[in-house]
Short mmCIF file of all heavy atoms in Angstrom, two decimals:
data_model
loop_
_atom_site.label_atom_id
_atom_site.label_comp_id
_atom_site.label_asym_id
_atom_site.label_seq_id
_atom_site.Cartn_x
_atom_site.Cartn_y
_atom_site.Cartn_z
N ASN A 93 110.69 97.21 126.25
CA ASN A 93 109.70 97.74 127.19
C ASN A 93 108.29 97.43 126.72
O ASN A 93 108.07 96.89 125.63
CB ASN A 93 109.91 99.24 127.43
CG ASN A 93 109.50 100.09 126.22
OD1 ASN A 93 109.37 99.60 125.11
ND2 ASN A 93 109.31 101.37 126.45
N GLU A 94 107.30 97.77 127.55
CA GLU A 94 105.91 97.42 127.25
C GLU A 94 105.42 98.08 125.97
O GLU A 94 104.71 97.47 125.18
CB GLU A 94 105.01 97.80 128.43
CG GLU A 94 105.20 96.93 129.66
CD GLU A 94 104.25 97.30 130.78
OE1 GLU A 94 103.48 98.29 130.61
OE2 GLU A 94 104.25 96.61 131.82
N LYS A 95 105.79 99.34 125.76
CA LYS A 95 105.35 100.04 124.55
C LYS A 95 105.95 99.38 123.31
O LYS A 95 105.27 99.25 122.28
CB LYS A 95 105.77 101.52 124.62
CG LYS A 95 105.32 102.34 123.43
CD LYS A 95 103.80 102.43 123.32
CE LYS A 95 103.37 103.34 122.19
NZ LYS A 95 101.91 103.45 122.08
N GLY A 96 107.21 98.96 123.39
CA GLY A 96 107.84 98.28 122.27
C GLY A 96 107.12 96.99 121.94
O GLY A 96 106.90 96.66 120.77
N CYS A 97 106.73 96.24 122.97
CA CYS A 97 105.98 95.00 122.76
C CYS A 97 104.65 95.29 122.08
O CYS A 97 104.24 94.58 121.16
CB CYS A 97 105.75 94.29 124.09
SG CYS A 97 107.24 93.64 124.88
N ALA A 98 103.98 96.35 122.54
CA ALA A 98 102.67 96.70 121.97
C ALA A 98 102.79 97.11 120.51
O ALA A 98 101.95 96.74 119.68
CB ALA A 98 102.03 97.82 122.79
N ILE A 99 103.83 97.87 120.18
CA ILE A 99 104.03 98.29 118.79
C ILE A 99 104.19 97.08 117.88
O ILE A 99 103.67 97.04 116.76
CB ILE A 99 105.25 99.23 118.68
CG1 ILE A 99 104.93 100.59 119.30
CG2 ILE A 99 105.69 99.40 117.22
CD1 ILE A 99 106.12 101.54 119.39
N LEU A 100 104.91 96.08 118.37
CA LEU A 100 105.15 94.87 117.58
C LEU A 100 103.97 93.91 117.61
O LEU A 100 104.00 92.87 116.95
CB LEU A 100 106.41 94.17 118.07
CG LEU A 100 107.72 94.96 117.91
CD1 LEU A 100 108.88 94.21 118.53
CD2 LEU A 100 107.99 95.26 116.44
N GLY A 101 102.94 94.25 118.41
CA GLY A 101 101.73 93.46 118.41
C GLY A 101 101.66 92.39 119.49
O GLY A 101 100.84 91.46 119.38
N PHE A 102 102.47 92.53 120.55
CA PHE A 102 102.48 91.53 121.61
C PHE A 102 101.95 92.13 122.91
O PHE A 102 102.10 93.32 123.16
CB PHE A 102 103.90 91.00 121.82
CG PHE A 102 104.46 90.29 120.62
CD1 PHE A 102 105.32 90.95 119.76
CD2 PHE A 102 104.13 88.98 120.35
CE1 PHE A 102 105.84 90.31 118.63
CE2 PHE A 102 104.63 88.32 119.24
CZ PHE A 102 105.49 88.99 118.38
N LYS A 103 101.37 91.27 123.75
CA LYS A 103 100.81 91.73 125.02
C LYS A 103 101.88 91.97 126.07
O LYS A 103 101.65 92.70 127.04
CB LYS A 103 99.80 90.71 125.53
CG LYS A 103 98.58 90.56 124.64
CD LYS A 103 97.61 89.52 125.18
CE LYS A 103 96.40 89.37 124.29
NZ LYS A 103 95.46 88.33 124.77
N GLY A 104 103.03 91.35 125.94
CA GLY A 104 104.09 91.53 126.92
C GLY A 104 105.37 90.88 126.46
O GLY A 104 105.46 90.29 125.38
N LYS A 105 106.39 90.98 127.33
CA LYS A 105 107.72 90.48 126.98
C LYS A 105 107.75 88.97 126.79
O LYS A 105 108.42 88.46 125.90
CB LYS A 105 108.72 90.91 128.06
CG LYS A 105 108.74 92.41 128.33
CD LYS A 105 109.65 92.76 129.49
CE LYS A 105 109.54 94.23 129.87
NZ LYS A 105 108.23 94.54 130.50
N ASP A 106 107.03 88.26 127.65
CA ASP A 106 107.02 86.80 127.54
C ASP A 106 106.45 86.35 126.20
O ASP A 106 106.99 85.44 125.54
CB ASP A 106 106.23 86.17 128.69
CG ASP A 106 106.92 86.35 130.03
OD1 ASP A 106 108.14 86.64 130.04
OD2 ASP A 106 106.24 86.22 131.07
N GLU A 107 105.35 86.98 125.79
CA GLU A 107 104.73 86.62 124.52
C GLU A 107 105.65 86.97 123.35
O GLU A 107 105.77 86.21 122.38
CB GLU A 107 103.40 87.34 124.37
CG GLU A 107 102.61 86.95 123.12
CD GLU A 107 101.28 87.65 123.03
OE1 GLU A 107 100.51 87.58 124.02
OE2 GLU A 107 100.98 88.26 121.97
N LEU A 108 106.32 88.12 123.45
CA LEU A 108 107.25 88.53 122.40
C LEU A 108 108.40 87.54 122.26
O LEU A 108 108.75 87.11 121.16
CB LEU A 108 107.78 89.94 122.68
CG LEU A 108 108.78 90.52 121.68
CD1 LEU A 108 108.58 92.03 121.56
CD2 LEU A 108 110.23 90.25 122.07
N MET A 109 109.00 87.16 123.39
CA MET A 109 110.13 86.24 123.36
C MET A 109 109.72 84.86 122.86
O MET A 109 110.47 84.20 122.15
CB MET A 109 110.76 86.14 124.74
CG MET A 109 111.39 87.43 125.24
SD MET A 109 112.71 88.04 124.16
CE MET A 109 113.89 86.71 124.30
N ALA A 110 108.50 84.43 123.21
CA ALA A 110 108.03 83.12 122.76
C ALA A 110 107.86 83.09 121.25
O ALA A 110 108.10 82.07 120.60
CB ALA A 110 106.72 82.78 123.45
N ALA A 111 107.45 84.22 120.67
CA ALA A 111 107.20 84.27 119.23
C ALA A 111 108.45 84.58 118.42
O ALA A 111 108.66 84.03 117.35
CB ALA A 111 106.13 85.32 118.93
N MET A 112 109.30 85.48 118.95
CA MET A 112 110.45 85.96 118.19
C MET A 112 111.76 85.27 118.57
O MET A 112 112.77 85.47 117.90
CB MET A 112 110.61 87.48 118.38
CG MET A 112 109.47 88.29 117.81
SD MET A 112 109.62 90.07 118.18
CE MET A 112 111.24 90.44 117.51
N GLY A 113 111.75 84.47 119.65
CA GLY A 113 113.03 83.99 120.16
C GLY A 113 113.80 85.17 120.68
O GLY A 113 113.24 86.09 121.27
N ASP A 114 115.11 85.19 120.45
CA ASP A 114 115.87 86.37 120.89
C ASP A 114 116.53 87.08 119.72
O ASP A 114 117.45 87.87 119.90
CB ASP A 114 116.91 85.99 121.95
CG ASP A 114 117.88 84.92 121.44
OD1 ASP A 114 117.78 84.55 120.25
OD2 ASP A 114 118.73 84.47 122.23
N ASN A 115 116.07 86.81 118.49
CA ASN A 115 116.58 87.49 117.31
C ASN A 115 115.97 88.88 117.22
O ASN A 115 114.78 89.03 116.97
CB ASN A 115 116.26 86.68 116.05
CG ASN A 115 116.85 87.30 114.79
OD1 ASN A 115 117.35 88.42 114.81
ND2 ASN A 115 116.78 86.57 113.69
N ALA A 116 116.78 89.90 117.44
CA ALA A 116 116.26 91.27 117.49
C ALA A 116 115.73 91.75 116.16
O ALA A 116 114.98 92.73 116.11
CB ALA A 116 117.37 92.22 117.98
N PHE A 117 116.10 91.10 115.07
CA PHE A 117 115.67 91.55 113.75
C PHE A 117 114.62 90.63 113.12
O PHE A 117 114.35 90.73 111.92
CB PHE A 117 116.88 91.65 112.80
CG PHE A 117 117.77 92.83 113.08
CD1 PHE A 117 119.02 92.92 112.48
CD2 PHE A 117 117.38 93.84 113.93
CE1 PHE A 117 119.85 93.99 112.73
CE2 PHE A 117 118.19 94.92 114.19
CZ PHE A 117 119.44 95.00 113.59
N SER A 118 114.03 89.74 113.88
CA SER A 118 113.08 88.80 113.30
C SER A 118 111.81 89.49 112.80
O SER A 118 111.08 88.93 111.99
CB SER A 118 112.71 87.71 114.31
OG SER A 118 112.06 88.28 115.44
N HIS A 119 111.54 90.71 113.27
CA HIS A 119 110.35 91.44 112.84
C HIS A 119 110.61 92.31 111.61
O HIS A 119 109.68 92.86 111.03
CB HIS A 119 109.83 92.33 113.97
CG HIS A 119 110.79 93.43 114.32
ND1 HIS A 119 111.99 93.19 114.96
CD2 HIS A 119 110.76 94.77 114.08
CE1 HIS A 119 112.63 94.34 115.12
NE2 HIS A 119 111.91 95.30 114.60
N VAL A 120 111.88 92.46 111.23
CA VAL A 120 112.23 93.33 110.11
C VAL A 120 112.01 92.58 108.79
O VAL A 120 112.41 91.43 108.65
CB VAL A 120 113.70 93.79 110.21
CG1 VAL A 120 114.05 94.72 109.05
CG2 VAL A 120 113.96 94.48 111.55
N LEU A 121 111.39 93.23 107.82
CA LEU A 121 111.15 92.60 106.53
C LEU A 121 112.48 92.37 105.81
O LEU A 121 113.41 93.19 105.92
CB LEU A 121 110.23 93.45 105.67
CG LEU A 121 108.73 93.13 105.77
CD1 LEU A 121 108.21 93.38 107.17
CD2 LEU A 121 107.92 93.93 104.75
N SER A 122 112.56 91.28 105.06
CA SER A 122 113.81 90.88 104.40
C SER A 122 114.45 91.99 103.58
O SER A 122 115.67 92.19 103.66
CB SER A 122 113.57 89.65 103.51
OG SER A 122 113.18 88.55 104.30
N PRO A 123 113.69 92.77 102.76
CA PRO A 123 114.33 93.83 101.97
C PRO A 123 115.00 94.91 102.81
O PRO A 123 115.89 95.61 102.32
CB PRO A 123 113.18 94.40 101.14
CG PRO A 123 112.15 93.32 101.10
CD PRO A 123 112.25 92.65 102.44
N ASP A 124 114.57 95.06 104.07
CA ASP A 124 115.12 96.11 104.93
C ASP A 124 116.23 95.61 105.86
O ASP A 124 116.85 96.41 106.57
CB ASP A 124 114.00 96.72 105.78
CG ASP A 124 112.94 97.42 104.93
OD1 ASP A 124 113.27 97.80 103.79
OD2 ASP A 124 111.81 97.57 105.39
N LEU A 125 116.49 94.30 105.86
CA LEU A 125 117.51 93.74 106.74
C LEU A 125 118.91 94.27 106.47
O LEU A 125 119.66 94.56 107.41
CB LEU A 125 117.51 92.21 106.66
CG LEU A 125 116.50 91.49 107.56
CD1 LEU A 125 116.50 90.00 107.27
CD2 LEU A 125 116.83 91.74 109.03
N PRO A 126 119.35 94.40 105.20
CA PRO A 126 120.70 94.93 104.96
C PRO A 126 120.94 96.28 105.61
O PRO A 126 122.01 96.52 106.17
CB PRO A 126 120.77 95.01 103.43
CG PRO A 126 119.83 93.95 102.96
CD PRO A 126 118.69 93.98 103.95
N MET A 127 119.94 97.17 105.56
CA MET A 127 120.07 98.48 106.19
C MET A 127 120.24 98.35 107.70
O MET A 127 121.09 99.02 108.31
CB MET A 127 118.86 99.34 105.88
CG MET A 127 118.89 100.72 106.54
SD MET A 127 117.28 101.53 106.52
CE MET A 127 116.34 100.45 107.61
N ALA A 128 119.45 97.47 108.31
CA ALA A 128 119.53 97.28 109.76
C ALA A 128 120.90 96.72 110.16
O ALA A 128 121.48 97.14 111.16
CB ALA A 128 118.42 96.35 110.22
N ARG A 129 121.41 95.79 109.38
CA ARG A 129 122.71 95.20 109.70
C ARG A 129 123.85 96.21 109.53
O ARG A 129 124.80 96.22 110.31
CB ARG A 129 122.95 93.98 108.82
CG ARG A 129 122.06 92.79 109.22
CD ARG A 129 122.14 91.67 108.21
NE ARG A 129 121.35 90.52 108.64
CZ ARG A 129 120.77 89.68 107.80
NH1 ARG A 129 120.87 89.85 106.48
NH2 ARG A 129 120.07 88.66 108.27
N ARG A 130 123.74 97.07 108.50
CA ARG A 130 124.75 98.11 108.33
C ARG A 130 124.76 99.06 109.52
O ARG A 130 125.83 99.50 109.97
CB ARG A 130 124.48 98.90 107.04
CG ARG A 130 124.90 98.19 105.77
CD ARG A 130 124.98 99.15 104.60
NE ARG A 130 123.71 99.81 104.35
CZ ARG A 130 122.76 99.33 103.55
NH1 ARG A 130 122.95 98.16 102.94
NH2 ARG A 130 121.64 99.99 103.37
#
Side-chain angles (χ1 to χ4, degrees):
N93 72 342
E94 289 182 357
K95 182 64 176 180
C97 293
I99 288 174
L100 296 176
F102 297 99
K103 295 179 180 178
K105 305 175 187 70
D106 291 342
E107 184 178 308
L108 180 146
M109 295 300 297
M112 295 175 56
D114 57 4
N115 183 351
F117 286 168
S118 63
H119 66 289
V120 181
L121 268 63
S122 296
D124 297 337
L125 275 174
M127 178 195 66
R129 288 171 177 150
R130 283 196 302 271

